[in-house]
Amino acid sequence: MHLSQACNDHPRVVDNSPRLRPPEGGWAAWYLRDEDDVGEGTEQGITVRTLLSALRELARERGWARTLVAGDQFFAWVEHEPLVRISPDVYLLDDPPAQPYPGMWRTWLPGQAAPRFAVEVVSEDWAKDYVHAPRKYEQLGTRELVVFDPEAGRRRGRVALQLFRRDPDGALVRLAAGDAPVHSRELDAWLVVQREPGGARLRIARDPAGRELVPTTEERALALEAQLRAQAQLREQASAVLQAREATIQARDATIDELRATVAALNATLQAREST
């Protein structure tokens, strides 16, 4: 299902307050202990680091000075059940408290809000990202959730990209599921799936075709370095042209001097003949 531009015309959600409803089996079904938050795989790590770097560049461009771009920290939202929590791979948190930041965000505490935007990169335990994550983020209070599955092309029944956003009633609903680019309202940018030899990648772009990607910090540095090299080459070429012109002028001046000397010699010869 492709997310049409019309999705961006939905009014802003008025009520984003979490609706605390335990899952089937009680809150314990959603417990996430430290040992349960297993390490990321290689492909997942590459995707997460790329997204974080590009998001930081986008935040710098947009002047989001009061927005924290981070990932892999716990968010808990049920005060009497602190193990009911989730750890976004990537998130945006507006107006965070002063550093040092807490080891776990507790949204019932003053100054500790839910992230407005979150990305989950599907891991080996794909069911938790497909089934549990959207329900958790709905209660957490996140306005927009992206679920990216880099293994979708190799696994039946799975999709590469899902976008969830609050509807006018405050429910977090799925608006897109598939390979097609989706527009993020929170980023005011597009999320595009790129198929590469090493696997699928999720990138942030300024256009739905993904031709104008938001660069990572490394990509921006490499582009700047290439630009500086190109400028240096142009300066060298311009200097070479100027040197060639100066050499041409000097040769011309030398020729003129020789001609003047020849004319002077001829005049001297003529004067000598006239005087005899």
Side-chain angles (χ1 to χ4, degrees):
M1 178 173 61
H2 179 69
L3 175 61
S4 67
Q5 190 66 37
C7 293
N8 301 320
D9 297 328
H10 286 311
R12 281 284 187 181
V13 179
V14 176
D15 180 14
N16 264 349
S17 58
R19 303 174 181 182
L20 301 183
R21 299 185 302 275
E24 185 177 351
W27 289 117
W30 279 0
Y31 282 2
L32 184 59
R33 298 174 175 84
D34 291 343
E35 59 269 23
D36 297 327
D37 192 30
V38 295
E40 61 189 20
T42 302
E43 291 298 321
Q44 184 184 18
I46 293 173
T47 297
V48 169
R49 287 190 293 273
T50 299
L51 283 174
L52 281 172
S53 185
L55 264 181
R56 289 184 178 120
E57 287 299 310
L58 186 66
R60 183 187 60 81
E61 293 176 8
R62 300 281 176 82
W64 294 346
R66 296 169 60 185
T67 299
L68 174 65
V69 179
D72 199 26
Q73 279 86 43
F74 285 119
F75 281 83
W77 64 95
V78 184
E79 184 172 2
H80 61 282
E81 293 284 358
L83 288 180
V84 176
R85 53 190 183 172
I86 196 164
S87 178
D89 291 309
V90 176
Y91 65 84
L92 295 181
L93 179 62
D94 291 333
D95 299 314
Q99 296 188 48
Y101 299 132
M104 180 176 77
W105 300 99
R106 297 169 171 84
T107 61
W108 59 86
L109 296 179
Q112 297 191 27
R116 63 178 170 94
F117 173 84
V119 178
E120 286 288 340
V121 180
V122 177
S123 60
E124 291 185 8
D125 186 9
W126 65 274
K128 73 178 179 64
D129 298 309
Y130 274 72
V131 179
H132 299 306
R135 296 174 61 192
K136 285 186 173 184
Y137 281 105
E138 180 175 35
Q139 293 198 21
L140 176 61
T142 299
R143 295 202 296 257
E144 195 170 69
L145 168 66
V146 173
V147 178
F148 172 63
D149 188 347
E151 294 292 320
R154 296 188 285 266
R155 308 288 184 179
R156 294 183 60 184
R158 290 161 63 170
V159 294
L161 187 58
Q162 299 178 72
L163 176 73
F164 297 80
R165 187 183 296 148
R166 299 276 170 180
D167 68 9
D169 294 325
L172 191 66
V173 297
R174 190 171 76 170
L175 298 181
D179 285 355
V182 296
H183 186 270
S184 165
R185 177 182 288 168
E186 295 301 322
L187 303 182
D188 190 20
W190 292 83
L191 294 163
V192 297
V193 177
Q194 291 191 329
R195 300 289 178 184
E196 300 179 3
R201 297 281 186 268
L202 181 63
R203 295 299 303 260
I204 304 169
R206 298 182 179 88
D207 65 307
R211 295 189 183 94
E212 191 179 352
L213 296 178
V214 176
T216 65
T217 301
E218 181 182 10
E219 288 168 344
R220 186 174 69 88
L222 290 173
L224 179 58
E225 185 178 321
Q227 183 181 4
L228 292 175
R229 282 200 304 267
Q231 291 174 350
Q233 289 175 352
L234 287 175
R235 286 195 297 269
E236 288 177 1
Q237 292 171 359
S239 177
V241 169
L242 288 175
Q243 290 176 359
R245 287 180 179 176
E246 289 177 0
T248 300
I249 292 171
Q250 289 174 358
R252 185 185 62 188
D253 290 343
T255 300
I256 292 173
D257 290 341
E258 289 177 1
L259 290 173
R260 286 174 176 169
T262 301
V263 170
L266 289 173
N267 288 332
T269 301
L270 289 174
Q271 290 176 358
R273 288 180 178 178
E274 289 175 355
S275 62
T276 57

